[in-house]
Amino acid sequence: MPLPILLLSGTAESSVEEAVATVSENISSTTDSILTSLGLALGSLALSNVLSAAVILVVCLIFTRLLLRMVSRFLERSKLDKTLHTFIRTGTRVVLYILTGIIVVGSMGFDVTSLVAALSVVGLAVSLALQNTLSNVAGGIMILATKPFLVGDYIESGDQSGTVLEIGMSYTRINTIDNKRVSIPNSTISSANIVNYSTEGNRRVVLTFNVAYENDVENVKRALLTAISRCDKVITDEGHEPFARLTAYGDSAITYTLRAWCKNPDYWDVYYFLLEETGRVFAEMGVVVSYNRLNVEIVNADGTQAYPGKV
C-alpha cells in the first residue's frame, strides 16, 4: 500500500478515538451532575451502603411492628371509641412507614433534606385541596374523643334532631322521628350546640295551659294534679314531686304550668297522656279553657247601648 494512504488511515483512526473519548467524558460528566443534583454522588451506592440500608430497613420494620402492637394494646385498654382505634392505628402506621423510608434513603447517600421538603410541599398541596374533608375528619376525632353523644342517643343539633345511627370519620348519621336518614358533616356538628336527651335516666315533662280568669285558682291546680295522679308512669318520689302552679297573667287568660318527671323512654307516652287527660279532667271539674276572643260593644251618642244584652 502506498505511504500516503497509510498516513491518512492512521490519522482517521486517531480522530475517531479522540471523538469517542470526548463523548464518553461528556456522558460521564452529565451522569455525575444528574446524580449530584439528586443528592447521590457517583460511586456512593457501594455494596456496603446497600447492605447497611437493608439492615436498617429490617430494624425499622421490626421496630414499627413492635410499636404498632404497643399502640393496639393501649387502645384496647382505653375508653376511646372503636372507630377512633382504626384511625389511630392507620395514622401511626403511615407515619412510621414514612419515617422508615426517609431513614433508609438517607443511609444510601441521598439528600433527605430535599426529600423532606418535597414531601412537605406535597402534603401542603393535598391539605389545601382536601380542606373541607380534613375539617370533617378533625370534627369526627373531636366527637369520638369527647363523646358528647353515643350511637343510640337522641340528640338535637342546629335544626336537626333524631337518633344517632353512626358516628363516622366524616359524617354523623341520624334517624329522625319521621324515619328520615340525615347525614351531618362532623365539622358542622362539632361546632354547634348539641342537646343530648338520652344521657340522663329521668326526664321532665313540661306543659302549659291557658284558662279563663273566672276559674278558681285552687280548682285548676287540683285538676292538674289529678291528671298527673292518673298516669302510672309519672315518678313521684322525693326530688321528683309533681308541680302545678299559676305562672303568668295574660291579656285574656291565666297561664298554668304542669311539670312531671318520668323515665327517659316513657317521655312521649307521659307527654301525650297528660295532654289528653288534662282536657278530660278540666271538663269533669268545670274548668273553662280560655281562647282568644274580641268583645265589641256598640253605644249610641248619648252613651246608651245600641243593642242591650247583646255582645
Side-chain angles (χ1 to χ4, degrees):
M1 181 179 292
L3 182 60
I5 297 176
L6 290 174
L7 292 174
L8 180 59
S9 177
T11 303
E13 290 179 358
S14 62
S15 299
V16 171
E17 291 177 355
E18 290 177 0
V20 171
T22 301
V23 172
S24 299
E25 290 178 0
N26 291 336
I27 293 175
S28 177
S29 176
T30 303
T31 304
D32 288 343
S33 62
I34 293 174
L35 292 175
T36 302
S37 64
L38 292 175
L40 182 65
L42 184 62
S44 62
L45 285 178
L47 181 60
S48 59
N49 288 346
V50 175
L51 293 177
S52 176
V55 173
I56 292 174
L57 176 62
V58 172
V59 172
C60 289
L61 292 177
I62 294 174
F63 175 78
T64 298
R65 181 171 296 182
L66 292 175
L67 188 58
L68 288 175
R69 287 182 180 178
M70 293 175 60
V71 171
S72 298
R73 291 178 181 176
F74 169 77
L75 293 175
E76 290 173 358
R77 296 176 182 177
S78 67
K79 297 181 180 179
L80 296 176
D81 192 88
K82 297 297 182 182
T83 306
L84 196 57
H85 291 189
T86 303
F87 179 81
I88 293 176
R89 289 193 187 98
T90 303
T92 304
R93 184 180 295 107
V94 171
V95 171
L96 290 177
Y97 284 161
I98 292 176
L99 292 176
T100 298
I102 293 175
I103 293 172
V104 172
V105 170
S107 67
M108 296 174 65
F110 283 100
D111 184 8
V112 295
T113 303
S114 59
L115 180 61
V116 172
L119 290 176
S120 300
V121 173
V122 173
L124 179 61
V126 172
S127 63
L128 291 176
L130 302 177
Q131 183 176 4
N132 293 334
T133 301
L134 293 177
S135 297
N136 289 335
V137 172
I141 294 174
M142 289 291 296
I143 293 173
L144 293 172
T146 57
K147 295 182 180 179
F149 54 84
L150 301 174
V151 174
D153 289 351
Y154 186 88
I155 66 169
E156 178 181 341
S157 179
D159 58 348
Q160 299 292 340
S161 61
T163 303
V164 179
L165 298 179
E166 178 187 356
I167 305 174
M169 294 309 301
S170 297
Y171 291 89
T172 295
R173 292 175 174 81
I174 65 174
N175 206 38
T176 61
I177 295 179
D178 53 349
N179 204 29
K180 293 180 181 178
R181 185 72 53 84
V182 181
S183 297
I184 307 175
N186 286 333
S187 59
T188 300
I189 197 170
S190 63
S191 60
N193 293 330
I194 301 172
V195 180
N196 192 334
Y197 293 99
S198 302
T199 54
E200 303 297 332
N202 298 331
R203 190 173 171 187
R204 189 174 65 179
V205 178
V206 180
L207 297 173
T208 58
F209 299 93
N210 294 326
V211 300
Y213 269 89
E214 56 265 26
N215 291 287
D216 179 68
V217 174
E218 295 300 324
N219 187 45
V220 176
K221 290 165 58 178
R222 282 194 299 270
L224 294 175
L225 294 175
T226 300
I228 295 175
S229 65
R230 294 180 181 180
C231 182
D232 56 359
K233 294 183 178 180
V234 171
I235 300 174
T236 58
D237 56 8
E238 185 177 358
H240 300 89
E241 295 85 358
F243 175 91
R245 299 296 294 270
L246 187 156
T247 53
Y249 290 96
D251 294 334
S252 58
I254 298 178
T255 301
Y256 290 81
T257 300
L258 178 154
R259 298 172 186 166
W261 289 89
C262 64
K263 296 295 183 181
N264 206 316
D266 299 331
Y267 176 82
W268 290 112
D269 292 339
V270 174
Y271 179 92
Y272 290 115
F273 178 88
L274 292 178
L275 198 61
E276 297 168 357
E277 191 64 25
T278 300
R280 287 190 284 267
V281 175
F282 279 174
E284 294 173 4
M285 301 183 66
V287 177
V288 179
V289 178
S290 178
Y291 54 90
N292 292 330
R293 58 185 177 181
L294 179 64
N295 294 335
V296 179
E297 183 177 337
I298 302 176
V299 296
N300 298 318
D302 57 358
T304 61
Q305 290 186 352
Y307 304 96
K310 296 184 179 180
V311 179

